[in-house]
Amino acid sequence: SRSLGARCRNSIASCSDETPHIGNYRLLKTIGKGNFAKVKLARHILTGKEVRLGHGEGGGWGLFREVRIMKGLNHPNIVQLFEVIETDKTLYLIMEYASGGEVFDYLVSHGRMKEIEARAKFRQIVSAVHYCHMKNIVHRDLKAENLLLDANANIKIADFGFSNEFTLGNKLDTFCGSPPYAAPELFQGKKYDGPEVDVWSLGVILYTLVSGSLPFDGQNLKELRERVLRGKYRVPFYMSTDCEGILRRFLVLNPTKRCTLDQVMKDKWINAGYDEDSLKPHIEPVEDYSDTSRIEVMVGMGFTPEEIKDALLNQKYNEVTATYLLLGLKNEDGSESRLASTLSLARIRPSPITNGTNKHSSATAGSSSSSSSHSKTQRSTSTYHRQRRHSDFCESSTVHSTVYFTVPSTVSSRLL
């Protein structure tokens, strides 16, 4: 019945099959940890789609800001938010699942990328980060672990837990991120505008894609800091001159002389092989909220046309929004979602045992998914990365001379 369906959807439940559920989602397994949330793989019961479910105890400023920011993002290379479920104790973020796992794990398993492959990935990354900067959003935690791959090996940027709005002229004073990817001004405790710290991190990412290693490493944080502040790194013999050239535009010690992403989009290396399709700013599409085929399926599930329209137009990011968006996702083989009448049966489940009550569903999400690593014995993965997959610091501006945070004895090393 409709009332039974609603009660099931809005609860944290254990059904008769003893499979744990959160709202309309059957929990499958833990796949990672973001800055403010643990991450699980889950399946949307109404559509059968897999999603990434992040949850943090008590919400907190980090999660709520992440939600607010992600609600305003719509880019093919940024993880999409579907639904937010808030209970008395926990905030659940329902997001797009990228089945290809992390770029970090890809590099560990396959080794460095050829420049043609790295270029394709890096163009997507630059497009997504430029889009964020155009919307006055700075990510502040760009790294290989927060770059996910979907089933078609397209980039999906995740974990906006440290992201924030910025206004040029008003300096930010929170120093956060991951040490091997952190800009030198963060180590120095200087205030910053915002985009320039993302640009430095993108330089580290490009180096990592092409070489399979980090440009700056050290046995401890002090050594890492010294190397970053020197700005010296080894250029592999196989790196092309054009790739070296663009890299030197990113990894500039003086943030005011660092390249902007508008400039990068015109660079020779990033557009090589894309003569007819040079990198341009992303134009945000107008969201289609009137897909009759999806609406018909949802009506068959028990939703009313009025609540569907209300949820979509008011961006409520509740169960209605999630169902509509998930029905619009393509399957991994590229085909459209099955819009069959059998989906209407998905809402009929045993009565739940309620462990919490839904206060409201609205907002957004972010986190980083972690696929299993296939590293070979001769490949030495970074102790820093493996032991601390989430970011290591987010300090107040009261620390002016250096940024203090705790890391394992080996801060970073060659990935491969």
Side-chain angles (χ1 to χ4, degrees):
S1 69
R2 170 69 170 144
S3 59
L4 174 61
R7 191 167 65 252
C8 247
R9 295 195 317 268
N10 293 337
S11 65
I12 303 171
S14 262
C15 293
S16 58
D17 61 2
E18 296 185 354
T19 303
H21 291 74
I22 304 291
N24 283 333
Y25 304 92
R26 178 178 290 113
L27 304 183
L28 302 178
K29 63 180 180 179
T30 300
I31 56 175
K33 183 175 183 179
N35 286 316
F36 296 105
K38 296 178 181 177
V39 186
K40 293 183 179 293
L41 176 64
R43 189 180 305 280
H44 188 237
I45 298 166
L46 307 184
T47 63
K49 294 292 185 181
E50 290 183 331
V51 297
R52 195 164 78 260
L53 188 152
H55 63 96
E57 296 298 323
W61 64 269
L63 272 177
F64 284 113
R65 185 169 63 190
E66 183 175 357
V67 161
R68 185 180 73 247
I69 286 174
M70 288 195 72
K71 285 183 76 171
L73 299 178
N74 182 12
H75 189 285
N77 302 116
I78 294 175
V79 165
Q80 185 177 9
L81 172 76
F82 297 131
E83 181 178 356
V84 175
I85 301 172
E86 186 183 352
T87 70
D88 291 331
K89 297 181 179 180
T90 307
L91 189 66
Y92 296 93
L93 313 173
I94 315 301
M95 299 161 284
E96 181 179 7
Y97 173 58
S99 61
E102 300 173 2
V103 167
F104 176 88
D105 288 325
Y106 177 91
L107 292 172
V108 169
S109 180
H110 297 86
R112 65 182 174 89
M113 296 180 182
K114 294 182 178 179
E115 284 191 24
I116 189 170
E117 181 185 4
R119 180 182 296 111
K121 299 287 187 290
F122 197 64
R123 283 170 61 91
Q124 294 182 343
I125 298 166
V126 168
S127 174
V129 176
H130 178 268
Y131 165 79
C132 290
H133 291 177
M134 290 292 289
K135 295 178 76 73
N136 282 38
I137 301 296
V138 59
H139 189 282
R140 299 197 297 188
D141 196 19
L142 294 168
K143 57 183 178 179
E145 294 90 329
N146 286 342
L147 302 175
L148 310 180
L149 298 168
D150 68 9
N152 298 310
N154 292 307
I155 291 288
K156 298 285 182 177
I157 297 181
D159 203 345
F160 282 75
F162 283 153
S163 62
N164 203 354
E165 295 95 348
F166 70 88
T167 303
L168 292 181
N170 294 331
K171 300 284 187 180
L172 296 174
D173 58 8
T174 301
F175 310 122
C176 50
S178 183
Y181 296 83
E185 56 268 28
L186 296 183
F187 281 99
Q188 294 172 315
K190 295 180 179 178
K191 294 184 179 183
Y192 55 95
D193 289 316
E196 72 275 22
V197 300
D198 278 351
V199 169
W200 177 277
S201 298
L202 288 175
V204 177
I205 287 169
L206 175 58
Y207 186 100
T208 303
L209 295 179
V210 174
S211 72
S213 62
L214 291 160
F216 309 104
D217 60 12
Q219 292 303 308
N220 51 55
L221 187 59
K222 181 176 181 292
E223 188 175 322
L224 172 65
R225 178 180 185 273
E226 290 172 351
R227 293 186 179 182
V228 169
L229 294 182
R230 281 201 302 269
K232 303 295 183 183
Y233 54 89
R234 181 183 64 86
V235 177
F237 70 89
Y238 47 78
M239 183 180 288
S240 70
T241 302
D242 288 340
C243 185
E244 180 184 350
I246 190 174
L247 192 62
R248 292 191 185 282
R249 302 177 70 184
F250 282 101
L251 299 178
V252 177
L253 290 175
N254 185 341
T256 64
K257 295 183 179 180
R258 216 168 284 155
C259 64
T260 66
L261 295 188
D262 283 314
Q263 295 168 337
V264 166
M265 286 182 162
K266 301 183 180 75
D267 187 87
K268 179 180 179 181
W269 181 85
I270 207 167
N271 287 309
Y274 293 85
D275 298 335
E276 303 300 320
D277 188 26
S278 61
L279 196 55
K280 296 180 178 65
H282 174 68
I283 299 175
E284 192 168 332
V286 177
E287 195 67 56
D288 178 14
Y289 290 142
S290 57
D291 186 335
T292 54
S293 59
R294 280 188 269 177
I295 293 172
E296 286 176 5
V297 171
M298 291 179 66
V299 170
M301 292 176 175
F303 297 104
T304 67
E306 293 74 23
E307 68 177 326
I308 297 171
K309 181 179 180 181
D310 176 63
L312 296 175
L313 293 181
N314 293 301
Q315 292 190 305
K316 291 191 172 181
Y317 287 90
N318 56 12
E319 56 161 346
V320 184
T321 308
T323 304
Y324 183 88
L325 294 175
L326 286 166
L327 284 172
L329 287 185
K330 291 184 180 296
N331 295 316
E332 293 199 353
D333 60 4
S335 64
E336 297 291 336
S337 266
R338 56 190 179 94
L339 298 179
S341 59
T342 52
L343 286 175
S344 62
L345 301 177
R347 287 177 82 177
I348 303 175
R349 318 192 315 212
S351 296
I353 301 171
T354 303
N355 296 323
T357 54
N358 182 299
K359 288 168 63 178
H360 71 82
S361 296
S362 92
T364 28
S367 69
S368 60
S369 107
S370 166
S371 68
S372 60
S373 168
H374 305 291
S375 58
K376 297 180 181 178
T377 54
Q378 68 267 30
R379 291 174 176 162
S380 171
T381 62
S382 163
T383 302
Y384 161 76
H385 284 293
R386 281 298 167 210
Q387 292 185 5
R388 297 183 71 90
R389 304 197 64 81
H390 54 291
S391 296
D392 292 83
F393 66 101
C394 188
E395 293 293 333
S396 163
S397 60
T398 54
V399 181
H400 294 292
S401 60
T402 186
V403 181
Y404 293 94
F405 36 80
T406 303
V407 292
S409 57
T410 302
V411 176
S412 63
S413 61
R414 292 183 59 82
L415 290 176
L416 306 177

